[in-house]
Amino acid sequence: MIYYTGDWHGDIRHVVNWMEGLGDSVQGDYYLIQLGDAGLNYYLDDRDSEKKSVLQDRIDQFKEKGIKMHILFVRGNHECRPDKIPDYMQRDIYDGQAYIEEKYPDLIFLKDGEIYHLEGKNFLALGGGYSKDFFIRILRGEGYWFDEQLEETEFMKILDKKIPLDMRIYIISHMLPSSVAPRRKKLFSRETRTEYWLQTISKNLSERIIKWLSGHYHLNLELQEGQYEIIYEKIKPLG
């Protein structure tokens, strides 16, 4: 079973409750895709480690029952890139590269631009985004990362990927392409850079995309007849 959910911003209570609510009748393999801003690589100290330990402990309880559960994280804008954190190691998993800490082997941070194969489905991970509150965050000494958005060279590398013409994919990202992203005000080019690059990717892969899933916007909303979906606090099974 594959599930997906949106931004946590460090509040793991609803996902812990979800895991506990699965009860004793569950069996097989479970995957939860978290679509950015989990808040687990935010403080970069024991506050992050405590949350990771709680999640890994719950997953270990499932292992004792013979049930495999992994949480797969897309990178958001309010968190440090895992490749900048020394404890993370890059590993081969699900036919792609991802970042894993030895202490928390089932909390898997996906690498931007990689394609993963899960349960017969293909997923392209596209993380990062823009923090509109970046100036306030800097003034308050809160978490902010200048490399929160992918650079042009990173997007170009993703666009150059050789994806088989007959491969149909789900895109799992933090933000949406510009043509479908919610708008509340006029934005400057820096604010929309990620969305416009995602628009280019959307055009290039339009015939192959099964569905596009995103977080970031703090909404639960389906767009264009369900082709695109924003999810926030809900946890849903992937149909």
mmCIF file of all heavy atoms in Angstrom, residues 197-235:
data_model
loop_
_atom_site.group_PDB
_atom_site.id
_atom_site.type_symbol
_atom_site.label_atom_id
_atom_site.label_comp_id
_atom_site.label_asym_id
_atom_site.label_seq_id
_atom_site.Cartn_x
_atom_site.Cartn_y
_atom_site.Cartn_z
ATOM 1 N N TRP A 197 9.987 26.276 -13.862
ATOM 2 C CA TRP A 197 10.772 25.116 -14.295
ATOM 3 C C TRP A 197 9.928 23.851 -14.247
ATOM 4 O O TRP A 197 10.017 22.989 -15.125
ATOM 5 C CB TRP A 197 12.020 24.961 -13.424
ATOM 6 C CG TRP A 197 13.156 25.813 -13.879
ATOM 7 C CD1 TRP A 197 13.681 26.914 -13.267
ATOM 8 C CD2 TRP A 197 13.931 25.635 -15.070
ATOM 9 N NE1 TRP A 197 14.707 27.440 -13.985
ATOM 10 C CE2 TRP A 197 14.891 26.673 -15.102
ATOM 11 C CE3 TRP A 197 13.897 24.710 -16.116
ATOM 12 C CZ2 TRP A 197 15.819 26.795 -16.144
ATOM 13 C CZ3 TRP A 197 14.822 24.831 -17.151
ATOM 14 C CH2 TRP A 197 15.766 25.863 -17.159
ATOM 15 N N LEU A 198 9.094 23.734 -13.222
ATOM 16 C CA LEU A 198 8.200 22.579 -13.150
ATOM 17 C C LEU A 198 7.208 22.584 -14.305
ATOM 18 O O LEU A 198 6.807 21.530 -14.802
ATOM 19 C CB LEU A 198 7.452 22.553 -11.804
ATOM 20 C CG LEU A 198 8.318 22.337 -10.558
ATOM 21 C CD1 LEU A 198 7.454 22.385 -9.299
ATOM 22 C CD2 LEU A 198 9.065 21.009 -10.623
ATOM 23 N N GLN A 199 6.829 23.789 -14.759
ATOM 24 C CA GLN A 199 5.945 23.889 -15.918
ATOM 25 C C GLN A 199 6.621 23.310 -17.160
ATOM 26 O O GLN A 199 6.004 22.597 -17.953
ATOM 27 C CB GLN A 199 5.577 25.355 -16.156
ATOM 28 C CG GLN A 199 4.642 25.584 -17.312
ATOM 29 C CD GLN A 199 3.250 25.008 -17.055
ATOM 30 O OE1 GLN A 199 2.807 24.958 -15.914
ATOM 31 N NE2 GLN A 199 2.587 24.563 -18.101
ATOM 32 N N THR A 200 7.902 23.587 -17.315
ATOM 33 C CA THR A 200 8.650 23.044 -18.447
ATOM 34 C C THR A 200 8.708 21.521 -18.378
ATOM 35 O O THR A 200 8.508 20.831 -19.387
ATOM 36 C CB THR A 200 10.082 23.613 -18.463
ATOM 37 O OG1 THR A 200 10.017 25.034 -18.537
ATOM 38 C CG2 THR A 200 10.865 23.085 -19.652
ATOM 39 N N ILE A 201 8.956 21.012 -17.182
ATOM 40 C CA ILE A 201 8.984 19.551 -17.005
ATOM 41 C C ILE A 201 7.614 18.956 -17.305
ATOM 42 O O ILE A 201 7.494 17.911 -17.946
ATOM 43 C CB ILE A 201 9.449 19.206 -15.577
ATOM 44 C CG1 ILE A 201 10.930 19.566 -15.411
ATOM 45 C CG2 ILE A 201 9.219 17.729 -15.260
ATOM 46 C CD1 ILE A 201 11.445 19.460 -13.997
ATOM 47 N N SER A 202 6.569 19.641 -16.856
ATOM 48 C CA SER A 202 5.204 19.169 -17.105
ATOM 49 C C SER A 202 4.916 19.075 -18.597
ATOM 50 O O SER A 202 4.319 18.098 -19.076
ATOM 51 C CB SER A 202 4.208 20.122 -16.430
ATOM 52 O OG SER A 202 2.882 19.765 -16.742
ATOM 53 N N LYS A 203 5.343 20.067 -19.362
ATOM 54 C CA LYS A 203 5.122 20.049 -20.812
ATOM 55 C C LYS A 203 5.901 18.909 -21.461
ATOM 56 O O LYS A 203 5.393 18.212 -22.344
ATOM 57 C CB LYS A 203 5.532 21.386 -21.417
ATOM 58 C CG LYS A 203 4.577 22.532 -21.101
ATOM 59 C CD LYS A 203 5.053 23.815 -21.753
ATOM 60 C CE LYS A 203 4.101 24.963 -21.439
ATOM 61 N NZ LYS A 203 4.598 26.245 -22.027
ATOM 62 N N ASN A 204 7.132 18.719 -21.036
ATOM 63 C CA ASN A 204 7.978 17.692 -21.641
ATOM 64 C C ASN A 204 7.467 16.277 -21.380
ATOM 65 O O ASN A 204 7.660 15.373 -22.197
ATOM 66 C CB ASN A 204 9.409 17.813 -21.120
ATOM 67 C CG ASN A 204 10.164 18.957 -21.765
ATOM 68 O OD1 ASN A 204 9.569 19.805 -22.431
ATOM 69 N ND2 ASN A 204 11.470 19.000 -21.580
ATOM 70 N N LEU A 205 6.815 16.100 -20.230
ATOM 71 C CA LEU A 205 6.377 14.757 -19.835
ATOM 72 C C LEU A 205 4.861 14.603 -19.875
ATOM 73 O O LEU A 205 4.334 13.622 -19.339
ATOM 74 C CB LEU A 205 6.885 14.445 -18.417
ATOM 75 C CG LEU A 205 8.404 14.435 -18.224
ATOM 76 C CD1 LEU A 205 8.743 14.198 -16.749
ATOM 77 C CD2 LEU A 205 9.062 13.362 -19.082
ATOM 78 N N SER A 206 4.175 15.540 -20.493
ATOM 79 C CA SER A 206 2.716 15.605 -20.385
ATOM 80 C C SER A 206 2.008 14.300 -20.741
ATOM 81 O O SER A 206 1.012 13.923 -20.106
ATOM 82 C CB SER A 206 2.178 16.740 -21.260
ATOM 83 O OG SER A 206 2.529 16.510 -22.620
ATOM 84 N N GLU A 207 2.505 13.590 -21.737
ATOM 85 C CA GLU A 207 1.837 12.361 -22.171
ATOM 86 C C GLU A 207 2.129 11.179 -21.252
ATOM 87 O O GLU A 207 1.507 10.137 -21.374
ATOM 88 C CB GLU A 207 2.281 12.013 -23.598
ATOM 89 C CG GLU A 207 1.944 13.079 -24.629
ATOM 90 C CD GLU A 207 0.451 13.354 -24.695
ATOM 91 O OE1 GLU A 207 -0.331 12.377 -24.629
ATOM 92 O OE2 GLU A 207 0.065 14.534 -24.808
ATOM 93 N N ARG A 208 3.064 11.353 -20.346
ATOM 94 C CA ARG A 208 3.480 10.221 -19.510
ATOM 95 C C ARG A 208 3.060 10.353 -18.055
ATOM 96 O O ARG A 208 3.222 9.427 -17.275
ATOM 97 C CB ARG A 208 5.008 10.070 -19.574
ATOM 98 C CG ARG A 208 5.532 9.938 -20.984
ATOM 99 C CD ARG A 208 7.025 9.731 -20.976
ATOM 100 N NE ARG A 208 7.665 10.499 -22.016
ATOM 101 C CZ ARG A 208 8.963 10.562 -22.198
ATOM 102 N NH1 ARG A 208 9.763 9.898 -21.404
ATOM 103 N NH2 ARG A 208 9.471 11.284 -23.172
ATOM 104 N N ILE A 209 2.546 11.524 -17.667
ATOM 105 C CA ILE A 209 2.216 11.760 -16.258
ATOM 106 C C ILE A 209 0.858 11.158 -15.921
ATOM 107 O O ILE A 209 -0.158 11.496 -16.536
ATOM 108 C CB ILE A 209 2.211 13.266 -15.945
ATOM 109 C CG1 ILE A 209 3.603 13.864 -16.189
ATOM 110 C CG2 ILE A 209 1.780 13.506 -14.495
ATOM 111 C CD1 ILE A 209 3.644 15.376 -16.095
ATOM 112 N N ILE A 210 0.843 10.273 -14.954
ATOM 113 C CA ILE A 210 -0.414 9.704 -14.459
ATOM 114 C C ILE A 210 -1.096 10.703 -13.534
ATOM 115 O O ILE A 210 -2.289 11.001 -13.657
ATOM 116 C CB ILE A 210 -0.152 8.386 -13.708
ATOM 117 C CG1 ILE A 210 0.489 7.356 -14.639
ATOM 118 C CG2 ILE A 210 -1.455 7.842 -13.103
ATOM 119 C CD1 ILE A 210 0.960 6.110 -13.926
ATOM 120 N N LYS A 211 -0.317 11.230 -12.596
ATOM 121 C CA LYS A 211 -0.841 12.207 -11.640
ATOM 122 C C LYS A 211 0.331 12.966 -11.041
ATOM 123 O O LYS A 211 1.431 12.432 -10.916
ATOM 124 C CB LYS A 211 -1.651 11.517 -10.535
ATOM 125 C CG LYS A 211 -2.389 12.486 -9.615
ATOM 126 C CD LYS A 211 -3.450 11.785 -8.798
ATOM 127 C CE LYS A 211 -4.238 12.791 -7.978
ATOM 128 N NZ LYS A 211 -5.397 12.185 -7.302
ATOM 129 N N TRP A 212 0.067 14.234 -10.674
ATOM 130 C CA TRP A 212 1.092 15.081 -10.055
ATOM 131 C C TRP A 212 0.631 15.415 -8.641
ATOM 132 O O TRP A 212 -0.438 15.992 -8.448
ATOM 133 C CB TRP A 212 1.270 16.354 -10.873
ATOM 134 C CG TRP A 212 2.457 17.182 -10.500
ATOM 135 C CD1 TRP A 212 2.803 17.624 -9.259
ATOM 136 C CD2 TRP A 212 3.460 17.686 -11.390
ATOM 137 N NE1 TRP A 212 3.955 18.361 -9.304
ATOM 138 C CE2 TRP A 212 4.378 18.415 -10.608
ATOM 139 C CE3 TRP A 212 3.658 17.600 -12.765
ATOM 140 C CZ2 TRP A 212 5.490 19.068 -11.155
ATOM 141 C CZ3 TRP A 212 4.765 18.232 -13.308
ATOM 142 C CH2 TRP A 212 5.671 18.961 -12.520
ATOM 143 N N LEU A 213 1.444 15.054 -7.650
ATOM 144 C CA LEU A 213 1.115 15.271 -6.241
ATOM 145 C C LEU A 213 2.064 16.301 -5.645
ATOM 146 O O LEU A 213 3.278 16.240 -5.873
ATOM 147 C CB LEU A 213 1.237 13.960 -5.455
ATOM 148 C CG LEU A 213 0.411 12.778 -5.955
ATOM 149 C CD1 LEU A 213 0.797 11.510 -5.199
ATOM 150 C CD2 LEU A 213 -1.079 13.059 -5.814
ATOM 151 N N SER A 214 1.525 17.247 -4.855
ATOM 152 C CA SER A 214 2.384 18.264 -4.240
ATOM 153 C C SER A 214 1.887 18.629 -2.845
ATOM 154 O O SER A 214 0.740 18.361 -2.478
ATOM 155 C CB SER A 214 2.433 19.525 -5.105
ATOM 156 O OG SER A 214 1.316 20.354 -4.864
ATOM 157 N N GLY A 215 2.774 19.270 -2.101
ATOM 158 C CA GLY A 215 2.442 19.842 -0.801
ATOM 159 C C GLY A 215 2.498 21.357 -0.907
ATOM 160 O O GLY A 215 1.931 21.953 -1.803
ATOM 161 N N HIS A 216 3.176 21.997 0.054
ATOM 162 C CA HIS A 216 3.586 23.407 0.050
ATOM 163 C C HIS A 216 2.477 24.421 0.283
ATOM 164 O O HIS A 216 2.668 25.369 1.051
ATOM 165 C CB HIS A 216 4.305 23.753 -1.258
ATOM 166 C CG HIS A 216 4.847 25.154 -1.285
ATOM 167 N ND1 HIS A 216 5.862 25.569 -0.455
ATOM 168 C CD2 HIS A 216 4.508 26.259 -2.036
ATOM 169 C CE1 HIS A 216 6.139 26.841 -0.689
ATOM 170 N NE2 HIS A 216 5.331 27.285 -1.643
ATOM 171 N N TYR A 217 1.329 24.275 -0.352
ATOM 172 C CA TYR A 217 0.355 25.356 -0.386
ATOM 173 C C TYR A 217 -0.640 25.321 0.783
ATOM 174 O O TYR A 217 -1.529 26.162 0.851
ATOM 175 C CB TYR A 217 -0.400 25.332 -1.724
ATOM 176 C CG TYR A 217 0.524 25.446 -2.907
ATOM 177 C CD1 TYR A 217 0.961 24.307 -3.578
ATOM 178 C CD2 TYR A 217 0.998 26.685 -3.330
ATOM 179 C CE1 TYR A 217 1.822 24.393 -4.661
ATOM 180 C CE2 TYR A 217 1.873 26.785 -4.417
ATOM 181 C CZ TYR A 217 2.289 25.636 -5.076
ATOM 182 O OH TYR A 217 3.154 25.725 -6.129
ATOM 183 N N HIS A 218 -0.502 24.354 1.651
ATOM 184 C CA HIS A 218 -1.362 24.224 2.835
ATOM 185 C C HIS A 218 -2.838 24.188 2.462
ATOM 186 O O HIS A 218 -3.690 24.842 3.060
ATOM 187 C CB HIS A 218 -1.078 25.351 3.840
ATOM 188 C CG HIS A 218 0.285 25.279 4.446
ATOM 189 N ND1 HIS A 218 0.637 25.957 5.591
ATOM 190 C CD2 HIS A 218 1.393 24.574 4.084
ATOM 191 C CE1 HIS A 218 1.904 25.697 5.897
ATOM 192 N NE2 HIS A 218 2.373 24.851 4.989
ATOM 193 N N LEU A 219 -3.120 23.387 1.453
ATOM 194 C CA LEU A 219 -4.484 23.167 0.986
ATOM 195 C C LEU A 219 -4.693 21.689 0.725
ATOM 196 O O LEU A 219 -3.738 20.937 0.533
ATOM 197 C CB LEU A 219 -4.727 23.920 -0.333
ATOM 198 C CG LEU A 219 -4.611 25.436 -0.346
ATOM 199 C CD1 LEU A 219 -4.589 25.937 -1.793
ATOM 200 C CD2 LEU A 219 -5.769 26.067 0.408
ATOM 201 N N ASN A 220 -5.958 21.291 0.710
ATOM 202 C CA ASN A 220 -6.339 19.983 0.188
ATOM 203 C C ASN A 220 -7.219 20.256 -1.024
ATOM 204 O O ASN A 220 -8.362 20.685 -0.897
ATOM 205 C CB ASN A 220 -7.104 19.182 1.245
ATOM 206 C CG ASN A 220 -6.224 18.842 2.428
ATOM 207 O OD1 ASN A 220 -5.275 18.075 2.310
ATOM 208 N ND2 ASN A 220 -6.525 19.423 3.581
ATOM 209 N N LEU A 221 -6.650 20.041 -2.216
ATOM 210 C CA LEU A 221 -7.326 20.514 -3.416
ATOM 211 C C LEU A 221 -6.912 19.679 -4.618
ATOM 212 O O LEU A 221 -5.725 19.395 -4.808
ATOM 213 C CB LEU A 221 -6.942 21.985 -3.659
ATOM 214 C CG LEU A 221 -7.576 22.716 -4.836
ATOM 215 C CD1 LEU A 221 -9.075 22.864 -4.637
ATOM 216 C CD2 LEU A 221 -6.920 24.096 -4.998
ATOM 217 N N GLU A 222 -7.906 19.281 -5.414
ATOM 218 C CA GLU A 222 -7.627 18.617 -6.690
ATOM 219 C C GLU A 222 -7.882 19.601 -7.827
ATOM 220 O O GLU A 222 -8.829 20.395 -7.781
ATOM 221 C CB GLU A 222 -8.492 17.367 -6.855
ATOM 222 C CG GLU A 222 -8.117 16.269 -5.871
ATOM 223 C CD GLU A 222 -8.678 14.919 -6.271
ATOM 224 O OE1 GLU A 222 -9.141 14.783 -7.425
ATOM 225 O OE2 GLU A 222 -8.655 13.996 -5.440
ATOM 226 N N LEU A 223 -7.010 19.543 -8.830
ATOM 227 C CA LEU A 223 -7.073 20.491 -9.941
ATOM 228 C C LEU A 223 -7.091 19.738 -11.264
ATOM 229 O O LEU A 223 -6.535 18.645 -11.376
ATOM 230 C CB LEU A 223 -5.855 21.425 -9.895
ATOM 231 C CG LEU A 223 -5.694 22.244 -8.607
ATOM 232 C CD1 LEU A 223 -4.253 22.694 -8.439
ATOM 233 C CD2 LEU A 223 -6.629 23.436 -8.628
ATOM 234 N N GLN A 224 -7.698 20.348 -12.257
ATOM 235 C CA GLN A 224 -7.774 19.780 -13.604
ATOM 236 C C GLN A 224 -8.233 18.323 -13.568
ATOM 237 O O GLN A 224 -7.532 17.413 -14.014
ATOM 238 C CB GLN A 224 -6.424 19.940 -14.317
ATOM 239 C CG GLN A 224 -6.056 21.386 -14.569
ATOM 240 C CD GLN A 224 -4.878 21.548 -15.503
ATOM 241 O OE1 GLN A 224 -4.376 20.591 -16.097
ATOM 242 N NE2 GLN A 224 -4.428 22.782 -15.662
ATOM 243 N N GLU A 225 -9.419 18.160 -13.003
ATOM 244 C CA GLU A 225 -10.086 16.848 -12.941
ATOM 245 C C GLU A 225 -9.219 15.793 -12.250
ATOM 246 O O GLU A 225 -9.188 14.632 -12.638
ATOM 247 C CB GLU A 225 -10.477 16.389 -14.347
ATOM 248 C CG GLU A 225 -11.467 17.341 -15.020
ATOM 249 C CD GLU A 225 -11.883 16.869 -16.401
ATOM 250 O OE1 GLU A 225 -11.222 15.956 -16.941
ATOM 251 O OE2 GLU A 225 -12.870 17.410 -16.930
ATOM 252 N N GLY A 226 -8.496 16.233 -11.228
ATOM 253 C CA GLY A 226 -7.722 15.295 -10.434
ATOM 254 C C GLY A 226 -6.348 14.969 -10.981
ATOM 255 O O GLY A 226 -5.619 14.170 -10.394
ATOM 256 N N GLN A 227 -5.957 15.594 -12.103
ATOM 257 C CA GLN A 227 -4.636 15.354 -12.679
ATOM 258 C C GLN A 227 -3.529 15.870 -11.751
ATOM 259 O O GLN A 227 -2.434 15.311 -11.684
ATOM 260 C CB GLN A 227 -4.524 16.033 -14.042
ATOM 261 C CG GLN A 227 -3.184 15.807 -14.752
ATOM 262 C CD GLN A 227 -3.031 14.386 -15.269
ATOM 263 O OE1 GLN A 227 -4.012 13.684 -15.430
ATOM 264 N NE2 GLN A 227 -1.801 13.979 -15.532
ATOM 265 N N TYR A 228 -3.827 16.963 -11.036
ATOM 266 C CA TYR A 228 -2.912 17.539 -10.059
ATOM 267 C C TYR A 228 -3.614 17.549 -8.701
ATOM 268 O O TYR A 228 -4.818 17.807 -8.624
ATOM 269 C CB TYR A 228 -2.532 18.965 -10.435
ATOM 270 C CG TYR A 228 -1.823 19.088 -11.765
ATOM 271 C CD1 TYR A 228 -2.552 19.152 -12.954
ATOM 272 C CD2 TYR A 228 -0.435 19.132 -11.838
ATOM 273 C CE1 TYR A 228 -1.918 19.263 -14.179
ATOM 274 C CE2 TYR A 228 0.212 19.238 -13.058
ATOM 275 C CZ TYR A 228 -0.532 19.306 -14.224
ATOM 276 O OH TYR A 228 0.103 19.398 -15.431
ATOM 277 N N GLU A 229 -2.840 17.331 -7.658
ATOM 278 C CA GLU A 229 -3.439 17.355 -6.320
ATOM 279 C C GLU A 229 -2.473 17.992 -5.329
ATOM 280 O O GLU A 229 -1.280 17.683 -5.303
ATOM 281 C CB GLU A 229 -3.802 15.955 -5.842
ATOM 282 C CG GLU A 229 -4.481 15.966 -4.480
ATOM 283 C CD GLU A 229 -4.976 14.597 -4.031
ATOM 284 O OE1 GLU A 229 -4.850 13.630 -4.814
ATOM 285 O OE2 GLU A 229 -5.486 14.496 -2.892
ATOM 286 N N ILE A 230 -3.027 18.894 -4.520
ATOM 287 C CA ILE A 230 -2.315 19.463 -3.375
ATOM 288 C C ILE A 230 -2.872 18.792 -2.132
ATOM 289 O O ILE A 230 -4.091 18.677 -1.967
ATOM 290 C CB ILE A 230 -2.545 20.977 -3.277
ATOM 291 C CG1 ILE A 230 -2.147 21.680 -4.566
ATOM 292 C CG2 ILE A 230 -1.789 21.563 -2.092
ATOM 293 C CD1 ILE A 230 -2.628 23.123 -4.642
ATOM 294 N N ILE A 231 -1.983 18.354 -1.254
ATOM 295 C CA ILE A 231 -2.432 17.723 -0.023
ATOM 296 C C ILE A 231 -1.718 18.372 1.155
ATOM 297 O O ILE A 231 -0.565 18.788 1.050
ATOM 298 C CB ILE A 231 -2.210 16.192 -0.056
ATOM 299 C CG1 ILE A 231 -2.927 15.520 1.127
ATOM 300 C CG2 ILE A 231 -0.732 15.846 -0.095
ATOM 301 C CD1 ILE A 231 -3.073 14.020 0.981
ATOM 302 N N TYR A 232 -2.433 18.462 2.268
ATOM 303 C CA TYR A 232 -1.851 19.103 3.445
ATOM 304 C C TYR A 232 -1.845 18.119 4.609
ATOM 305 O O TYR A 232 -0.999 17.246 4.693
ATOM 306 C CB TYR A 232 -2.609 20.390 3.757
ATOM 307 C CG TYR A 232 -2.037 21.205 4.893
ATOM 308 C CD1 TYR A 232 -0.674 21.159 5.191
ATOM 309 C CD2 TYR A 232 -2.856 22.046 5.647
ATOM 310 C CE1 TYR A 232 -0.156 21.920 6.234
ATOM 311 C CE2 TYR A 232 -2.340 22.814 6.670
ATOM 312 C CZ TYR A 232 -0.996 22.744 6.984
ATOM 313 O OH TYR A 232 -0.499 23.501 8.003
ATOM 314 N N GLU A 233 -2.847 18.190 5.472
ATOM 315 C CA GLU A 233 -2.805 17.392 6.698
ATOM 316 C C GLU A 233 -3.411 15.992 6.528
ATOM 317 O O GLU A 233 -3.337 15.172 7.442
ATOM 318 C CB GLU A 233 -3.521 18.127 7.846
ATOM 319 C CG GLU A 233 -5.047 18.162 7.767
ATOM 320 C CD GLU A 233 -5.576 19.238 6.829
ATOM 321 O OE1 GLU A 233 -4.762 19.965 6.243
ATOM 322 O OE2 GLU A 233 -6.812 19.344 6.695
ATOM 323 N N LYS A 234 -3.994 15.722 5.388
ATOM 324 C CA LYS A 234 -4.600 14.409 5.182
ATOM 325 C C LYS A 234 -3.533 13.363 4.846
ATOM 326 O O LYS A 234 -2.434 13.690 4.410
ATOM 327 C CB LYS A 234 -5.616 14.473 4.041
ATOM 328 C CG LYS A 234 -6.833 15.316 4.330
ATOM 329 C CD LYS A 234 -7.800 15.272 3.154
ATOM 330 C CE LYS A 234 -9.058 16.082 3.450
ATOM 331 N NZ LYS A 234 -10.018 16.030 2.323
ATOM 332 N N ILE A 235 -3.889 12.105 5.057
ATOM 333 C CA ILE A 235 -3.081 10.975 4.597
ATOM 334 C C ILE A 235 -3.999 10.117 3.734
ATOM 335 O O ILE A 235 -5.023 9.629 4.213
ATOM 336 C CB ILE A 235 -2.509 10.164 5.774
ATOM 337 C CG1 ILE A 235 -1.564 11.028 6.595
ATOM 338 C CG2 ILE A 235 -1.777 8.918 5.256
ATOM 339 C CD1 ILE A 235 -1.007 10.334 7.819
#
